[in-house]
Amino acid sequence: MMNIPKHSSKLALESRKLNYHDAYSCPVCRYGQISVLTLTEAFACDFCRHIFTANLEEQVLIMADSTPPMAWRWTGRNWKIAHQKDAELSFVVWLLGMALVIFPTLIVGVSTYIFPPEEGSNQSYFPLVWLGLTFLSHLILVLWLLAESYQLPFYTYLKVKIRNWLNR
């Protein structure tokens, strides 16, 4: 029997190719483990329950249950985000998100400027509060939509934890 030094066997375990026989950390939630689904050539996470297809030749994992599909490249130790084919769609999404935050806030701000409250009235602060609430509510809506679209790890982790807590 051949003696293999411990450090070289550890390196071999750390730097491995993507295959259907091993389990890997989930690139979405970074908490669970993905492993192959029985009788398929797809992976699934045991924590966030996302389903992935793999291209073993290119060492790429694609999330099958999202639109647009997200992809990660396996480096041998961890996941790196792969180039997205829908770059122009991503730009449009960001542009629409900014418009959804800016235009309603601008409308409320202009109406506050054109129709200011009376001097010395009890609720003269209300237009500024309304302006702040408009901005914050639209910003939260856009951030939520972006987190859903891009499946941000902390958002996915919190979503799964809340779902598990509610199912108790």
Side-chain angles (χ1 to χ4, degrees), residues 109-118 127:
V110 167
S111 67
T112 300
Y113 180 75
I114 293 174
F115 305 108
E118 291 184 19

Side-chain angles (χ1 to χ4, degrees), residues 59-76:
Q59 298 289 291
V60 173
L61 192 71
I62 300 168
M63 188 186 327
D65 58 353
S66 76
T67 303
M70 298 176 62
W72 295 267
R73 186 170 309 283
W74 179 246
T75 63

